[in-house]
Amino acid sequence: MRYYKKFSLFFGILAISCLAWAAVNAITVKSADLIPSDEYLHLNTDFDISFDSSIEEAINKGVALTFLVEFQIVEPREYWFDDEIVTVSKSVKLSYHALTKQYLVGDEVHQKSFESLSEARHQLSMVRDWRVVAKRELEKGATYRAAVLMRLDKTKLPKAIQVDTLGSENWNLASPIYTWPVKELK
């Protein structure tokens, strides 16, 4: 019995330390919502992003990180695969400009600069008014499910770092898939 108590205590401490380590490098979805406009649905979502010191050091040395935000709407089917209505992705880049000593966050259209990494990370964690689907593609009264996730696009990293990421858990930045039902369209 005494051996069992030591054994379970060891695994309890191991589980807590693994959870603490996993929380250092993490992306989670805090909220996501589809906002209707006249002709489209726009996605607003908030992520919680945290980096460990090795990733912060790489950013500060000029390594640009490209994140992909991926969104999908499906129509669930009971006896067959779900019907994919729309799948879109958007890339957002986080980089450091050493000459101006500013962090840059930008997508295909806009770019903003920030004095600190925490401000840049906060901007990176918000997706606002992203037009994801035309309302005409969705039928009134039909049931849909939406899903969103964010992940680090390791293919955009420099080749030397890509090799290092193969054996390192520090660079596996990806949120779990966050799903929610799409409510009645108006």
Side-chain angles (χ1 to χ4, degrees):
M1 186 65 161
R2 194 168 58 167
Y3 174 75
Y4 175 74
K5 286 181 183 177
K6 287 182 181 178
F7 187 73
S8 63
L9 177 66
F10 170 74
F11 279 106
I13 292 171
L14 181 65
I16 290 171
S17 63
C18 286
L19 287 174
W21 175 81
V24 171
N25 279 333
I27 301 176
T28 57
V29 182
K30 295 194 310 190
S31 65
D33 196 19
L34 288 172
I35 310 297
S37 68
D38 291 338
E39 297 180 29
Y40 295 95
L41 292 178
H42 297 261
L43 177 67
N44 286 349
T45 186
D46 291 316
F47 296 95
D48 186 17
I49 303 170
S50 57
F51 303 134
D52 76 345
S53 59
S54 64
I55 292 180
E56 287 183 9
E57 182 181 342
I59 293 168
N60 290 329
K61 287 184 177 180
V63 176
L65 302 182
T66 302
F67 291 87
L68 287 176
V69 180
E70 298 173 356
F71 174 79
Q72 184 176 58
I73 291 182
V74 296
E75 184 177 5
R77 293 185 179 168
E78 193 169 330
Y79 297 110
W80 197 245
F81 297 113
D82 294 343
D83 185 21
E84 180 183 320
I85 305 301
V86 66
T87 300
V88 292
S89 65
K90 172 182 185 171
S91 64
V92 183
K93 191 174 189 178
L94 169 64
S95 61
Y96 179 68
H97 193 266
L99 194 58
T100 61
K101 296 183 180 178
Q102 291 185 330
Y103 295 90
L104 306 172
V105 176
D107 57 16
E108 296 88 11
V109 181
H110 299 96
Q111 184 172 344
K112 293 183 180 179
S113 60
F114 300 93
E115 298 294 321
S116 70
L117 181 57
S118 64
E119 292 172 332
R121 190 173 54 229
H122 178 71
Q123 178 66 32
L124 177 68
S125 70
M126 297 185 309
V127 175
R128 294 289 179 265
D129 295 325
W130 180 24
R131 186 169 63 187
V132 290
V133 64
K135 283 184 172 181
R136 68 179 178 275
E137 294 183 41
L138 305 175
E139 296 177 22
K140 283 196 173 206
T143 304
Y144 297 101
R145 293 206 54 79
V148 67
L149 69 89
M150 178 185 263
R151 65 181 175 87
L152 175 65
D153 186 0
K154 292 193 255 182
T155 63
K156 303 286 186 191
L157 293 170
K159 295 293 182 194
I161 294 178
Q162 285 183 26
V163 172
D164 289 343
T165 64
L166 294 175
S168 173
E169 290 293 321
N170 292 348
W171 291 90
N172 289 334
L173 294 171
S175 71
I177 299 172
Y178 182 83
T179 61
W180 71 98
V182 177
K183 296 182 177 137
E184 180 69 28
L185 300 175
K186 295 177 181 156

